Each structure stands twice: as structure tokens, then as C-alpha cells.
Amino acid sequence: MTLVSRDPILLTPGPLTTSLATKTAMLRDWGSWDAAFNAVTAGVRRKALDVVHGEGTHVVVPMQGSGTFSVEAAVNTLVPRDGHVLVLVNGAYGLRMAKLAQMMGRKATTFVTAEDAPTTPADVDRLLAGDASITHVGLIHCETSTGILNPLKGIADVVARHGRRLIVDAMSSYGALPIDAREVAFDAVIAASGKCIEGPPGMGFVIARRSALEASAGNCSSLALDLHDQWVYMEKTTQWRYTPPTHVVVAFDAALDQFLDEGGQPARHARYARNCRALIDGMAALGFRPFLDPAIQAPIIVTFHAPADPKYEFKAFYAAVRERGFILYPGKLTQVETFRVGCIGAIGPEEMQQAVHAIADALADLGIAEIAPRAPVARVA
Ligand SMILES: *Cc1c(COP(=O)(O)O)cnc(C)c1O
């Protein structure tokens, strides 16, 4: 992989570094009523459905806005007003789903595990057996606040066995980790343009079970985020209900084509796994330790313990690494000081190695010598 421009490389999990082909796809203007644009929308919907093998059972409904807009649209549309959502939480995005469900007037309860502990199917089994009022389970597939992977298939099986419905925030996993609608029962998988498909940010989409969406008319308390209405209108007219982010849709379509050319989800996963390996190995040689156990680490984003050196301060470290061409991501944990490095985007292991060199150089420049945590780092219980 070669550098496509002199812009800094984004090691952030969306927005991320896009390819030149994706960027140049944005250099045209499109009419939202025009058949040529509506054909692009139809192509995006079909290709996005194919990624999870949802033909026949599910439909893709795109939604304007960042990923959270689509999570809110899915919850507010698919959960009846008197429904009860159990949200499985081990980070900030789980908390966000619970908060928005509550704000939309739904009953929402949370099951919170530590940020380094996946929710288990046994947990979900016990919780559902103990509360018949729970209608929906909300799961974050890869919790981007740490990079932890939750067991989607095992949890989906338990939810289905109890006859409840599953809503999956797969924002940072869709396209990179396998999700197969033929084997995993879900009412909604939610993702966005600017993550592992490597498009620009600006639209999300919900892969909804057709029967659940059909039954959801009138549930939504929001006009703009009514997924049922967006779907019905799009099916009838081929158009978006309100102004679409035209350039984003066209660039996302170009990114989907490149994703397919690369070999689809298995190839995307393989490249990100190589990126993640190159990053963790390089950082280990500098003395850095990842926060998560390798067994539960998704190859999407890696959380590292901050250097033990008292001279370390994230802002100065960030600025020094940025000067060298790489944009890092702050940590999101309350208990321990960390920072994060994304493995996703139109980049390969070479860029990850260059990022490690930039980090080493920045540390030397800042006089930070003590990297490894002083005391053994206790896992948060
Ligand atoms: C990126 C992301 C979102 C959406 O965040 P936005 O800032 O609204 O795009 C939601 N959930 C997860 C797990 C994410 O990684």
C-alpha cells in the first residue's frame, strides 16, 4: 500500500484514511431526484445487504447522519413504545445505546461488565430467563471504546432461543468481522459509511429483518429518524425521503466496489489482522502493553497503556506524533490512562510500522524513556 496523499494518516476508527478512488468519487454533483443517483442508492443497498448474506430475509435502509443517528433510528423504530430493551454494556457505545433508548421513551435496562470483559451468552441466558418483560437485546459487536469483541453468534442464539429480538451495533465490525444473517438471528445490524468499508463519514444504514420492519409502522417518535417511513418512501420512489448526502453515498458506493475487489470481508479482515499484528509487535518492542487480552482483542482498534514516565502527557504526545504524519486517538477509560490506535482504513502493515517509528521518534523527542507500566497492571475486576 502506498501513501495516497500528504494528509496525515488517520489511525482513528472513523473518520479514517480513504483511498484516492474513494476521494475522487466525491468530485461530482448529483441530483437527488435523478435516476442516475437513485441507481447508486439501489446499488449501495444491494451490496451492503450482500455483505451479511441478508437476501430474502433482510433489507438495508440507509439514513442520513453519523452512525449514532442510525442506532437511534433502529431503536426508536423497531422497539415498540411499550417494549423493554436490555442493553449489554462494556464501554461507551453500550451506554450510548441505553441512553438513547431511554430518551426515546423506551424502558431500558443495562447489564454492565468491566471494559475488559465480554458479555457472555450465559449472562444473557440468565438475564432473559429472569425477566419476561425484556423484548429486545442491544449488543455492541466490537466495543470501540477499547476494541473488545463481544460474542455475537453465542448471544444471538440465546436471544433467539428465548424468543426475543436482537439489535446489534456493528458499526466498527461490519465488513471486517463475519456477520452472516443465515446463521445469526438479528432484527437489526447497524453500520455506517465511514468505518470498515472505508467510505467517508456522513451516512449510516440499518440492515433490518423485513418482517420486523413491516410490523414497526407508527413506533417511531421522531419524524426524521423514522426508519419505517424512510424504507416505505425509498421502496416506493427509489429516492431518499429528505436530502441525501449525495457525495457520501457515491463515495461509499465506490468504497464498496473496492471492498469487493479486494475480496470482501475475509480479505478485509486479513489486512486488518496484519495491521493489528504489525502495530502490537512494533509497540511491544518499544515497551507498550495493550490493555486487552489478545483473545478478546478485535483487529479494529488497540488500546495501549500510557507510558509510565511522569513526563508523558497525551496532548503533547499526540501533537508530536501528528507532526510526523499520524493521527492517534485518545483513550476512553476512566480507571487507567490509555491511548488508542486504529488498525482500519485504506492502509497496510507498512503504514502501521511507520506509525510505530513516528511514535518512537516522538517519545525520544519528548524525553519519555519509561514506557512499560511500573506495577503489574491489575485487570479491572
Ligand atoms: C463509530 C461508532 C458509532 C457511531 O458513532 P458516530 O460518532 O455517531 O458515528 C457507534 N457505535 C460504535 C461501536 C462505533 O464504533
Side-chain angles (χ1 to χ4, degrees):
M1 257 266 157
T2 51
L3 292 178
V4 291
S5 76
R6 288 186 178 273
D7 288 336
I9 287 179
L10 302 178
L11 299 178
T12 55
L16 38 66
T17 292
T18 59
S19 74
L20 188 59
T22 298
K23 280 190 259 284
T24 52
M26 286 183 277
L27 295 177
R28 293 180 60 197
D29 301 317
W30 299 79
S32 65
W33 285 58
D34 194 73
F37 176 71
N38 294 326
V40 177
T41 299
V44 163
R45 294 180 66 199
R46 184 174 37 76
K47 290 171 211 171
L49 189 62
D50 280 352
V51 173
V52 299
H53 311 287
E55 306 79 12
T57 52
H58 293 72
V59 295
V60 169
V61 188
M63 181 59 76
Q64 297 92 331
S66 85
T68 304
F69 290 61
S70 285
V71 179
E72 192 159 312
V75 169
N76 202 351
T77 304
L78 294 172
V79 180
R81 302 237 178 151
D82 60 355
H84 175 184
V85 195
L86 167 69
V87 185
L88 310 172
V89 177
N90 43 18
Y93 290 102
L95 288 174
R96 188 182 295 179
M97 190 195 278
K99 182 178 179 184
L100 67 86
Q102 212 150 42
M103 289 185 73
M104 297 308 108
R106 302 312 193 274
K107 179 169 184 195
T109 47
T110 56
F111 176 69
V112 183
T113 48
E115 286 165 311
D116 60 354
T119 313
T120 67
D123 289 332
V124 180
D125 192 29
R126 188 184 67 250
L127 291 161
L128 294 182
D131 189 344
S133 78
I134 296 166
T135 55
H136 291 72
V137 173
L139 172 70
I140 314 298
H141 188 196
C142 170
E143 176 46 86
T144 322
S145 17
T146 53
I148 194 173
L149 185 61
N150 286 304
L152 171 62
K153 167 79 174 138
I155 289 174
D157 287 350
V158 168
V159 172
R161 196 164 0 98
H162 283 272
R164 320 296 170 89
R165 307 305 187 108
L166 182 66
I167 295 178
V168 186
D169 173 348
M171 210 71 64
S172 64
S173 57
Y174 174 89
L177 301 176
I179 302 173
D180 190 332
R182 300 167 302 189
E183 290 169 8
V184 175
F186 61 82
D187 272 13
V189 155
I190 307 145
S193 54
K195 302 258 173 153
C196 298
I197 302 296
E198 301 179 358
M203 61 167 275
F205 52 97
V206 181
I207 302 166
R209 183 183 296 282
R210 178 187 276 275
S211 57
L213 193 57
E214 280 168 350
S216 71
N219 282 349
C220 192
S221 63
S222 158
L223 173 69
L225 295 180
D226 190 334
L227 204 66
H228 180 268
D229 222 36
Q230 176 93 323
W231 177 55
V232 168
Y233 187 89
M234 206 169 257
E235 289 291 314
K236 205 166 74 187
T237 66
T238 73
Q239 295 163 19
W240 293 57
R241 200 172 41 140
Y242 305 131
T243 305
T246 46
H247 301 74
V248 173
V249 176
V250 172
F252 182 49
D253 186 47
L256 276 164
D257 287 340
Q258 293 160 68
F259 167 83
L260 295 173
D261 284 347
E262 188 180 351
Q265 177 269 321
R268 189 64 40 114
H269 180 266
R271 175 158 57 85
Y272 290 171
R274 288 196 299 275
N275 289 357
C276 189
R277 188 76 264 145
L279 173 70
I280 290 178
D281 288 352
M283 292 293 275
L286 300 182
F288 283 100
R289 288 238 325 254
F291 170 73
L292 291 176
D293 194 307
I296 53 170
Q297 169 75 62
I300 305 293
I301 185 166
V302 181
T303 300
F304 289 101
H305 290 281
D309 203 305
K311 286 201 282 294
Y312 172 82
E313 191 246 325
F314 179 74
K315 270 183 86 166
F317 174 58
Y318 173 92
V321 176
R322 194 205 188 285
E323 227 168 74
R324 289 159 176 81
F326 296 87
I327 291 198
L328 302 178
Y329 211 45
K332 216 171 190 163
L333 305 183
T334 42
Q335 310 274 340
V336 269
E337 165 108 40
T338 55
F339 65 92
R340 291 176 289 171
V341 186
C343 306
I344 66 179
I347 52 175
E350 296 78 10
E351 279 82 8
M352 304 312 290
Q353 282 155 9
Q354 290 162 12
V356 171
H357 286 304
I359 287 170
D361 199 44
L363 291 170
D365 200 32
L366 294 166
I368 293 166
E370 197 185 346
I371 306 296
R374 271 177 214 170
V377 182
R379 295 243 163 248
V380 184

